[in-house]
Amino acid sequence: MIFKRLIILFAFIQGSLALANPFLPFFNKLYKAHQLIENKDFKKSKEFIFKQIQGKDSNQCIAWYDLSRIYENDKKFDSALIFSEKALLKLFIQHQKASEAIKLDKRYSLSLNHFNDLITSQVEKLYVLNRKSEPNLLGKKNRNVFYAELFSSLKNRVQNHLLYKNYLDTSTHEQVKNIGCVIQLEWSIQHLQYCEDTIEFKTVLASKNINIYKGYIDHYWKNIEKNQQLKNVIHLKNFYKVIEDTLFKTAFELVLIENKEQTYLKFIEEYPNAPQKDNAFNLAENIAYLEAKSANSNSKYEIFIEKYPKARHRAQIDYLRRYLNVVPVPYLTKELKYVYVDSASSETWTDSVYDFAYPYASNYHKKWHSNGSMLVPGCALVMKFDDFGASDFFYIEKDGTPVNQKTYDEIVQFSTNMAFVQKADRHGIINSQGQEILPCKFQRIYFDTSLKLGILFNGKSWGMFNITGKLITPIQYSNILSPFSSITVNVDIMELPKVLIAVMNDNLWGYITLSGEKAIEFNYKQAFPFKNGVALVETTNGKWMYIDFGGKQVSKEYDLIQDLESGYSKVVRITEGKKKYGILAKPFGSKIPQMNLTHAQLHDFGRTYKIKYQSDSIHQEFKEILSPIHDDIIFTINLHFNAFAVKTPKGYLIYDTSGAIICKNPIPNLTVFAQKLFVTKEKKQVKWYNYKNNLMSNLSFEEINIISDHLVAGLTKGMWNIFNINEKSLTILNEKGMIYKDFEAIVPSEKEGYFMIQKKGVWGLCNENGKVILDCKYQDIYFTDNINNFIVRIPETTSNEESSWGVINTTGKFIVDPVFEGISFEDFSGYWLVPYNEKNAWLDQKGNLFAEPAE
């Protein structure tokens, strides 16, 4: 009876073990450990499993599977991968017996798929983790190689497994006991191959390199053509298509930036299947059309027609050829409207009427004006009032047809081929073909014409874009360039940093590259642009310092730093609650201005001045030439002379840029004039510091005025005269040898290298050598495009309040007689606008006025 009961109990236990009933944990430690993992008790499960794998259960795949999950939970993916691989190979051994496979599935609800997925997910997690901890990994040429090798290694182990080899060596699959296991093995290898393919695809896609794209396409296209099986590999075909589309897109973006006819045609030839080819052809044709129109010659028109026989611009070309020698000019009618007439015959050229019109821009002008009148070669800028009386500006072809349907409230040209445009208080950019690079939907836009990059503001955030209008970064930054950017207008040109750009994100500053990638973490309260490889930053604890391109600190910390343009900084240390000032020399000092340099340029300068441009050597180049122990320091920034004046109880001592005293006698009442010149006032007389003899000037005046970096004007008894900064009088002579002196006023002119002089209430013009260009006869003098021609206002002899305007050359001959109430010279090269009949009429350089006579 007892024996019978023992048999029943034994059968019950065996059934429990087989069916994974509730009593199983009492008899199977691996099952208990597995259940602990399912309940997220990884620590206790680990203790059980380590005991089991040291005994008879070391061959059980579930032990290694669960151990891998434990290490994955601890984010130790390297170890987890080792155990998951071992689990998979153990599984293959167990799967040779169908009963073992059934038991594993019933007891743990696990199949081969679970083991494969575990490995795949762990490799991907390891990849993601490393990418986050080392973001620069994305930019490395061998990125993903490590992960590809993991998959490849595992695939080789599976293929070399004895079970799989037996399967391959068997003439008929039926001879293998467990066909299902072999099929799963094949599927596992295919899955691992897919992972390898995916990593390779992602690596190629992230390279942003046309040659890498081409290599990938050539490799797989040849294989697909040769290997019929590859044609059915869906993921490879999809990868191929994505890379091909990316290649086309990237190549087209590059030719857009170059924007040349030949590069567009070369793109079409190289990528005949690209969806952008029609657009490229239209752009090439448009450039050829503009060039032919600009040349305005029959031979150029014939070349265009031969190259583009079915051109969209064929009608305009035929029109231009027919009227090749006609120069249309805006003509003011009695109705105070503008029409275009033949400049030679005054016959009407087109029937269209405008509220204002500019002459045609027949060529690419070296000189252009900000109003955009010369932007589109061969076209004219015109304006009509809309129904509400607002100005609508647009461009027309030579036959009077609009270039496109776009109109703007305002156009501001900023380079030979680009202009800012405004529509309804929003701004955009157009090019010399009249095409919109950026639509008018931004509040602010700034552009660097040398880098061909810009920044924009949508009212909330900032972003970056390139010359084609493509966004380089999302519009996501709350500030850009520097915390105190002196941006006061909505559109303008500016010099952007050549390497890294400061941006603000989540109330902290960091730096991004010109391609929009994060370069230095957002860790700073304030950050300023890089100059000569270093940037000024303020840390979150209120300390100021300089960092290099890698974000490494390369200077001491200070309580405040004022960056000076001359290659030096004014630094502050707070001592016992008081500010103490010093001067810090930056790398290269005053040897070069603090230019915005690239890596290559910096290393070239470094070799010239024997500086190894690395963090440690840069740190050594930061030198306190004046320690921060002084009550005040003022400084000059002059083309010929830089110095620092240190306040002492008896006055100021002057130091040179090496920190040596060059004026030992204290100077009281010292100030700096326009940050260019040290001056002092004694008994109502002003003197300046003469850097030639390191003394205050012997000359003294009631007032002084800086004309340039080396010229000073001085006032004595109501009369002004001019001197070199070394106190030598500059002799003013006209072409007859007459000496001029004792002027009523001397001021800088609008053009560098000249200054204005006044005698008897009228003005003359001199160059910096003291030669009189125009005698003192005019109430106003303005420069024109021609350096020898000047627009002048002539006072009437009867009354100084009445005057007339004309154009005179340096010989004193009037090109345009002084008979007009005014002349505007900044509107179009070769023409001037003059007030006429309550409007403005155009006047050419021969004095021809294009307007109907006033009644």
Side-chain angles (χ1 to χ4, degrees), residues 82 121 242 261 416 433 482 502 510 626 744 855:
I82 295 172
S121 68
V242 171
E261 179 190 8
T416 54
Q433 301 171 31
S482 83
L626 292 174
E744 294 166 10
E855 295 181 352

Side-chain angles (χ1 to χ4, degrees), residues 567-729:
Y568 299 89
S569 297
K570 186 176 179 179
V571 297
V572 175
R573 280 246 168 83
I574 298 177
T575 305
E576 296 179 355
K578 294 183 180 180
K579 291 182 178 179
K580 295 295 182 179
Y581 299 90
I583 296 296
L584 184 68
K586 294 186 285 186
F588 303 114
S590 60
K591 296 169 186 173
I592 59 173
Q594 285 297 293
M595 292 186 294
N596 188 355
L597 302 177
T598 63
H599 278 294
Q601 290 170 326
L602 282 169
H603 284 293
D604 287 342
F605 277 112
R607 283 191 292 270
T608 302
Y609 298 111
K610 298 179 180 179
I611 296 174
K612 292 182 179 179
Y613 211 76
Q614 299 171 352
S615 294
D616 293 339
S617 56
I618 296 174
H619 199 292
Q620 295 171 3
E621 285 298 312
F622 276 97
K623 298 176 183 177
E624 288 182 358
I625 60 173
L626 292 174
S627 300
I629 58 174
H630 305 287
D631 292 333
D632 191 21
I633 297 176
I634 57 177
F635 53 89
T636 61
I637 302 175
N638 189 294
L639 182 63
H640 307 284
F641 173 65
N642 289 324
F644 308 100
V646 176
K647 185 177 182 181
T648 69
K650 294 183 179 180
Y652 285 86
L653 298 177
I654 299 178
Y655 292 74
D656 65 13
T657 54
S658 69
I661 295 179
I662 55 177
C663 183
K664 297 181 180 180
N665 298 321
I667 305 169
N669 305 318
L670 191 71
T671 58
V672 63
F673 194 100
Q675 284 194 353
K676 288 189 174 183
L677 197 66
F678 288 136
V679 296
T680 185
K681 198 163 189 178
E682 298 176 3
K683 298 179 181 179
K684 298 183 179 181
Q685 292 289 304
V686 179
K687 294 184 177 183
W688 72 85
Y689 182 75
N690 185 341
Y691 66 87
K692 292 289 187 179
N693 57 18
N694 295 324
L695 296 171
M696 298 307 294
S697 62
N698 291 316
L699 298 174
S700 60
F701 303 100
E702 298 165 19
E703 293 182 31
I704 64 171
N705 191 11
I706 296 178
I707 304 302
S708 69
D709 280 339
H710 60 277
L711 290 179
V712 177
L715 176 67
T716 302
K717 296 180 180 180
M719 292 297 173
W720 289 85
N721 285 288
I722 193 163
F723 302 85
N724 294 322
I725 204 166
N726 61 2
E727 305 184 56
K728 291 183 179 180
S729 175

Side-chain angles (χ1 to χ4, degrees), residues 135 159 215 328 457 534 565 587 619 656 793:
Q159 287 177 323
F457 182 63
V534 296
E565 291 298 324
H619 199 292
D656 65 13
R793 182 160 65 108

Side-chain angles (χ1 to χ4, degrees), residues 742-809:
D742 297 333
F743 302 101
E744 294 166 10
I746 302 176
V747 297
S749 75
E750 60 178 334
K751 192 178 185 70
E752 190 175 347
Y754 298 85
F755 59 91
M756 306 281 289
I757 54 176
Q758 187 184 60
K759 291 183 77 70
K760 296 181 181 180
V762 289
W763 292 95
L765 181 69
C766 287
N767 65 22
E768 289 194 348
N769 295 322
K771 180 182 177 182
V772 176
I773 306 299
L774 293 178
D775 208 346
C776 295
K777 296 179 179 180
Y778 312 102
Q779 286 185 313
D780 286 292
I781 301 172
Y782 294 97
F783 291 84
T784 68
D785 295 338
N786 188 329
I787 194 170
N788 295 316
N789 295 340
F790 304 89
I791 295 173
V792 294
R793 182 160 65 108
I794 309 295
E796 295 288 347
T797 55
T798 56
S799 172
N800 284 336
E801 294 181 359
E802 296 181 3
S803 59
S804 57
W805 293 78
V807 180
I808 197 171
N809 62 22

